[in-house]
Amino acid sequence: MFGTLSERLSGILSGLTRRGSLTEEDVNAALREVRRALLEADVALEVVRSFTDKVRERAVGAEVLKSVTPGQQVIKIVNDVLIETLGGEGEGIGFDAVPPVPILMVGLQGSGKTTSTAKIAKRLTDRNKKKVLMASLDTRRPAAMEQLAVLGTQVGVQTLPIVAGQSAVQIAKRAIEAARLGGFDVVMLDTAGRVTLDDTLMEEVAQVKAATGPHEVLLVADALTGQDAVNTARAFDARVGLTGIVLTRMDGDSRGGAALSMRAVTGKPIKLVGTGEKVDELDDFHPSRVANRILGMGDIVSLVEKAAQTVDADKAQALAQRLAKGNFDLDDLRMQLQQMEKMGGFGGVMGLLPGMAQMKNQLAAAKVDDKMIARQIAIINSMTPGERKNPDLLKNSRKKRIAAGSGTSAEAINKLLKMHRGMADMMKAMKKQKGGMLGKLGGMFGLGGGMPAGMPDPSQMDPAQLEALQKQLGAGGGLPSLPPGGFPGLPKGVTPPAGMMPKLPGLGGGKNGLAGGLPGLGGNPFGKKK
């Protein structure tokens, strides 16, 4: 998400921080590059002009140019203006109405409207404990109603029975009545789309809105279409009045122009973003967190939220007890790798860590990707239970069998075993500590032991408290610095490298929090001398 834009802006702004002082001309030169980067990201021209004017107005003041850290002050201003452009405060779907609450889904054909309808229905069912009914009003596209019915079965949400020959308005009225009689809290109305905007489409949507009085009218737009998505939003808002926007395929939008333009141009909040094809890959849109990610500051709060949502509490507790005894076998490593997959894979996790945007090319050169995790899991799955419990049994003949069974090589198996040994040694070194870093990391990533002293459990926090946690972890979105002497609670002589970040599931530590622990890589993934 925003990969290209993040890389450009991070490079431009990092040049300012390296200077001891700034002049007005320095700021103007940087803003010219920012303007070019935004235009290349397909941000609307009017939005680019407004953005750069706001930054320039705040950045050329005497307080900034004569401050001790003028470069950092400018970056803070850019971050603040980015948050304003993206909408300030995030807004979720509203339910403040008499049930059943109608939610009308509109958009062009191919934007992911039907899939997004099912994703939102699942989200409302699982997170908000709402009883949801879905209804397809698409009478033109072949098998559109059947598609929604199949998705309903997959996500465990009821769909309105199909009755042939009814119009979109008749189906909508029947859905509202069925939801009222069935005691449903929410009814999702998936309207028909067209390849392009036309009067027939708009008239049908307007009639459905008049017949149902929806509490929310959500436009589903494809982020990859850039300015076309903005034009679509304008047209729908003018005709039917939108209350919010759902952006799909954000996982493939490396430019980010649609997201940056939508709110500023239409004034309507982006409420949700689709981050993948799976039914659970739908995230809330938080302007402040997105701004941090665009500027390469990471998003630790979202990372903690993902860990809290995906962790299996029973398995995590069992693993915590094993780690407390200094035990860490290949079954435990497999569980950690599977946990990372649930959190969005290697790319999804690393995209939320501060500073990862600048390491994009290094990670690509080292072939660090989600396939690597799948290969590691395949290797472990090809072992016998005894081999997973006691890796010392793995001699050459056994490695050949495992390599053939997993479709890998003996070299890949050796790298996995080396990584496991390093992690197991660290667990043993931490065995005698009480309330030290192992417990803190365990609490942060769902492995028991609680959060660091003074920090509440993120799974029990509301959005406002999580935002406060983000600020507590550092203004730049990073993690708190370690006290002198390294990690608390480690035995004497065991000191991880300075600046080491907390280990994520399946990752070890090292320089920049990466070397020595990437699944499938040796001690130095980028080939540099230590």
Side-chain angles (χ1 to χ4, degrees):
M1 191 192 299
F2 306 111
T4 303
L5 180 60
S6 175
E7 188 176 343
R8 286 291 307 277
L9 290 183
S10 297
I12 295 167
L13 297 175
S14 65
L16 295 179
T17 60
R18 288 193 291 267
R19 300 191 182 197
S21 62
L22 290 179
T23 65
E24 184 173 338
E25 181 54 38
D26 292 331
V27 174
N28 288 333
L31 285 179
R32 282 194 294 271
E33 292 300 316
V34 169
R35 175 189 175 94
R36 184 177 293 112
L38 292 174
L39 289 174
E40 289 176 358
D42 206 15
V43 179
L45 180 59
E46 59 194 283
V47 178
V48 175
R49 287 174 175 166
S50 173
F51 181 89
T52 52
D53 287 345
K54 287 179 181 178
V55 174
R56 181 180 291 105
E57 182 181 349
R58 302 182 194 182
V60 297
E63 301 169 353
V64 172
L65 297 182
K66 294 183 180 180
S67 68
V68 177
T69 57
Q72 293 180 5
Q73 293 283 352
V74 172
I75 291 178
K76 182 181 184 303
I77 290 171
V78 171
N79 186 57
D80 292 343
V81 177
L82 264 178
I83 294 173
E84 291 177 19
T85 304
L86 290 167
E89 295 293 330
E91 295 184 35
I93 295 177
F95 305 105
D96 190 14
V98 178
V101 179
I103 298 179
L104 189 64
M105 307 292 290
V106 302
L108 294 182
Q109 187 173 309
S111 61
K113 184 158 39 61
T114 300
T115 304
S116 296
T117 300
K119 285 182 176 182
I120 294 174
K122 175 177 171 59
R123 187 183 184 87
L124 298 181
T125 302
D126 295 344
R127 297 194 183 187
N128 302 97
K129 308 304 178 186
K130 300 292 183 181
K131 187 178 180 182
V132 183
L133 176 68
M134 297 191 297
S136 174
L137 313 186
D138 193 343
T139 59
R140 292 175 175 81
R141 184 165 61 89
M145 295 182 179
E146 288 79 1
Q147 179 190 2
L148 188 64
V150 170
L151 288 171
T153 302
Q154 291 178 359
V155 300
V157 175
Q158 293 188 50
T159 55
L160 187 72
I162 300 171
V163 176
Q166 288 190 324
S167 68
V169 174
Q170 290 173 329
I171 297 172
K173 290 180 177 178
R174 180 162 61 90
I176 297 295
E177 185 62 24
R180 184 178 293 112
L181 295 175
F184 288 87
D185 300 308
V186 178
V187 55
M188 305 280 301
L189 302 172
D190 178 26
T191 62
R194 303 286 192 284
V195 176
T196 58
L197 292 166
D198 59 38
D199 292 335
T200 305
L201 167 65
M202 289 302 187
E203 181 61 29
E204 183 179 281
V205 173
Q207 289 176 0
V208 171
K209 181 183 179 183
T212 59
H215 185 66
E216 291 269 15
V217 181
L218 301 179
L219 171 70
V220 181
D222 186 342
L224 294 180
T225 57
Q227 289 306 298
D228 284 342
V230 178
N231 296 333
T232 300
R234 277 177 164 154
F236 272 101
D237 188 38
R239 192 65 180 268
V240 298
L242 302 175
T243 62
I245 297 167
V246 179
L247 279 180
T248 60
R249 295 209 283 180
M250 285 297 289
D251 53 320
D253 183 21
S254 62
R255 297 181 302 171
L260 282 170
S261 302
M262 282 285 194
R263 175 63 187 245
V265 170
T266 67
K268 308 301 178 182
I270 300 172
K271 297 197 172 187
L272 296 165
V273 292
T275 57
E277 294 296 326
K278 297 179 181 177
V279 292
D280 59 348
E281 292 180 325
L282 186 72
D283 294 337
D284 291 317
F285 187 83
H286 297 280
S288 59
R289 301 186 196 180
V290 171
N292 282 348
R293 292 174 68 176
I294 290 175
L295 296 180
M297 299 176 183
D299 186 359
I300 296 298
V301 175
S302 291
L303 184 60
V304 173
E305 285 181 337
K306 279 191 175 184
Q309 290 164 9
T310 59
V311 72
D312 185 315
D314 293 334
K315 290 182 179 179
Q317 185 60 38
L319 178 59
Q321 293 173 356
R322 288 178 51 74
L323 295 182
K325 298 177 182 178
N327 297 327
F328 187 77
D329 60 27
L330 288 167
D331 280 323
D332 298 324
L333 176 57
R334 178 176 59 182
M335 191 182 110
Q336 293 287 283
L337 294 171
Q338 290 170 336
Q339 172 66 21
M340 176 168 280
E341 283 192 321
K342 289 181 182 179
M343 291 173 63
F346 190 83
V349 171
M350 300 307 283
L352 299 175
L353 289 175
M356 286 300 103
Q358 289 82 0
M359 303 187 69
K360 179 180 176 182
N361 294 334
Q362 290 175 298
L363 293 171
K367 297 181 180 180
V368 176
D369 55 26
D370 293 340
K371 292 180 180 178
M372 182 178 59
I373 297 178
R375 287 193 295 269
Q376 298 294 348
I377 294 174
I379 290 173
I380 298 174
N381 286 341
S382 298
M383 298 178 185
T384 66
E387 290 168 345
R388 291 196 290 269
K389 294 292 182 186
N390 183 12
D392 291 335
L393 296 174
L394 296 175
K395 305 304 179 184
N396 287 338
S397 59
R398 292 179 184 248
K399 289 179 182 179
K400 288 181 181 179
R401 188 201 76 240
I402 294 169
S406 60
T408 57
S409 63
E411 181 184 8
I413 297 171
N414 289 334
K415 287 182 178 180
L416 173 66
L417 295 176
K418 182 179 179 181
M419 178 187 70
H420 171 260
R421 280 196 300 271
M423 295 177 71
D425 289 344
M426 180 65 75
M427 298 303 173
K428 289 178 182 178
M430 291 180 175
K431 177 182 176 181
K432 295 182 180 179
Q433 70 169 330
K434 191 172 183 180
M437 183 54 67
L438 181 61
K440 296 176 182 180
L441 296 185
M444 179 172 287
F445 294 103
L447 299 179
M451 287 291 289
M455 284 192 179
D457 181 358
S459 65
Q460 304 299 320
M461 298 167 67
D462 59 34
Q465 292 172 315
L466 282 167
E467 292 296 343
L469 173 61
Q470 171 84 332
K471 294 177 182 178
Q472 183 179 348
L473 289 174
L479 292 167
S481 57
L482 293 174
F487 283 15
L490 284 183
K492 185 177 180 180
V494 181
T495 305
M500 171 181 170
M501 300 187 66
K503 293 195 293 295
L504 296 174
L507 297 183
K511 188 176 181 181
N512 297 322
L514 288 170
L518 293 178
L521 296 179
N524 191 9
F526 307 127
K528 295 182 180 179
K529 293 182 179 179
K530 294 185 177 180

